[in-house]
Amino acid sequence: WLQRVKEETGLLTTTEVATEKHVEMALKAGIDILWIGARTTANPFAVQEIANMLKGVDIPVFVKNPVNPDLELWIGGMERINAAGIKRLAAIHRGFTAYEKVIYRNLPMWHIPIELMRRIPNLPIFCDPSHMGGRRELIAPLSQQAMDLGFHGLFIESHCNPDKAWSDAKQQVTPDVLSFIL
């Protein structure tokens, strides 16, 4: 599907990789950007396997924060990827697992990505308000907060008919709403 989208639109393609096999398949398919998800970032062994597969490859890699609020683990994941020779590296803040009932699917805990910005000032950092909010009505205000805090961009889920999306339907917006947010 991603190859077809790229051919038909000329848009860059990106996908999540969680294993070395995923990396191999994505590279063979000509995917332009890879990202490592929160659950994978929380596993240093999985991140190292991915890093090993990326040696000698020049591709941008985004690393989402781990599910738990652990800045050192997040930085460690990025260091492993960087040590494999990946120079085009970015971070994605998608919030942290909430154990109590709260408005957000994942707590923003803005102080953690702000500390990441302080420690690694040249690292691009993006916000994923879709996963953070978990509900489409929270995406716009979370996006604005992220931009106000100096994030470099947004990672927003969009679908022509969000209620019919195969996954994460509640946290997707229509292209018109996405255009408004942007």
Side-chain angles (χ1 to χ4, degrees), residues 20 40 43-55 76-77 79-81 83-84:
E20 57 190 322
T40 305
N43 181 340
F45 302 106
V47 174
Q48 189 60 55
E49 285 182 3
I50 291 169
N52 292 343
M53 280 299 292
L54 289 170
K55 284 188 178 161
E79 287 174 341
R80 287 175 188 277
I81 300 301

Side-chain angles (χ1 to χ4, degrees), residues 15 43 66 76 81 89 99 109 113 124 126 134 155:
T15 193
N43 181 340
I81 300 301
L89 190 60
Y99 296 103
M109 295 187 173
F126 296 82
F155 210 78

